[in-house]
Amino acid sequence: GAVVSQHPSRVICKSGTSVKIECRSLDFQATTMFWYRQFPKQSLMLMATSNEGSKATYEQGVEKDKFLINHASLTLSTLTVTSAHPEDSSFYICSAGGGEGETQYFGPGTRLLVL
Amino acid sequence: RKEVEQDPGPFNVPEGATVAFNCTYSNSASQSFFWYRQDCRKEPKLLMSVYSSGNEDGRFTAQLNRASQYISLLIRDSKLSDSATYLCVVNMGGNKLVFGAGTILRVKS
């Protein structure tokens, strides 16, 4: 299957810091990427849909000014958690797919711990 | 009501056992269906898609009943390596995936 990478794999930061997470599709072009968040013992929750060259679409309850998404190319989307707080500590996972109905491939995830 | 509901388990079974997981979804307009597997502290990995006609991949059989909005996964001859969380996933359209909370499977020797 296709390969999606994320960087960094783990981040520990102080409260108030902004953290940037990169998601790359390594062997295919992804017009759409998705960002999920998973809290312990809970399911993945879709945060936003990232579209190449246009604004991201955020799910209800997700603050667009706090979680900045940029999808500048067909192989890279970034999620920036601005002024992170302890309650933002979570497992952030991106996925990428080539188009409607196509399989989504997940990145390995980024564990964020905000102290 | 949650969009995708699963029995959280855990299901504790001996090696060689057959185990079945169930899942229900609330949106009748859902377009496609999947089972994913997630190991501890890892990303989900696609196990198999689910079709109305039912489909089988080795020891794994998936079934979809659109009328009842019900999806199932059957694992035969369980292996220790099958221990994981199994996620029922529904595509709501526009490639928007909704995940169930997962069912934990523990296979023991």
Side-chain angles (χ1 to χ4, degrees), chain A residues 14-55:
Chain A
K14 293 182 179 179
S15 185
T17 307
S18 290
V19 176
K20 187 177 186 179
I21 303 170
E22 292 185 350
C23 176
R24 294 181 185 273
S25 55
L26 298 184
D27 52 359
F28 68 105
Q29 294 185 326
T31 53
T32 305
M33 291 184 173
F34 301 87
W35 287 96
Y36 296 84
R37 179 169 54 183
Q38 186 177 33
F39 292 107
K41 298 187 178 181
Q42 294 186 27
S43 187
L44 275 76
M45 295 296 293
L46 180 65
M47 298 175 67
T49 302
S50 172
N51 303 298
E52 188 267 334
S54 64
K55 290 184 179 180

Side-chain angles (χ1 to χ4, degrees), chain B residues 44-93:
Chain B
K45 292 188 187 294
L46 179 65
L47 182 64
M48 58 197 304
S49 300
V50 188
Y51 305 110
S52 297
S53 55
N55 49 302
E56 186 174 310
D57 182 2
R59 298 181 291 108
F60 300 84
T61 301
Q63 293 274 359
L64 165 65
N65 184 322
R66 282 190 183 269
S68 302
Q69 296 178 201
Y70 170 92
I71 305 162
S72 66
L73 175 68
L74 183 76
I75 305 176
R76 292 182 299 277
D77 189 22
S78 299
K79 311 290 185 192
L80 292 174
S81 57
D82 293 334
S83 298
T85 298
Y86 290 83
L87 306 172
C88 176
V89 183
V90 175
N91 185 335
M92 297 291 187

Side-chain angles (χ1 to χ4, degrees), chain A residues 41-93:
Chain A
K41 298 187 178 181
Q42 294 186 27
S43 187
L44 275 76
M45 295 296 293
L46 180 65
M47 298 175 67
T49 302
S50 172
N51 303 298
E52 188 267 334
S54 64
K55 290 184 179 180
T57 304
Y58 290 82
E59 295 299 304
Q60 192 173 10
V62 178
E63 299 175 58
K64 63 180 181 181
D65 294 329
K66 181 170 181 63
F67 298 98
L68 302 178
I69 291 173
N70 184 280
H71 193 153
S73 76
L74 288 171
T75 60
L76 173 64
S77 175
T78 60
L79 168 69
T80 301
V81 183
T82 61
S83 186
H85 291 284
E87 60 265 29
D88 298 322
S89 299
S90 188
F91 189 40
Y92 292 85
I93 309 174

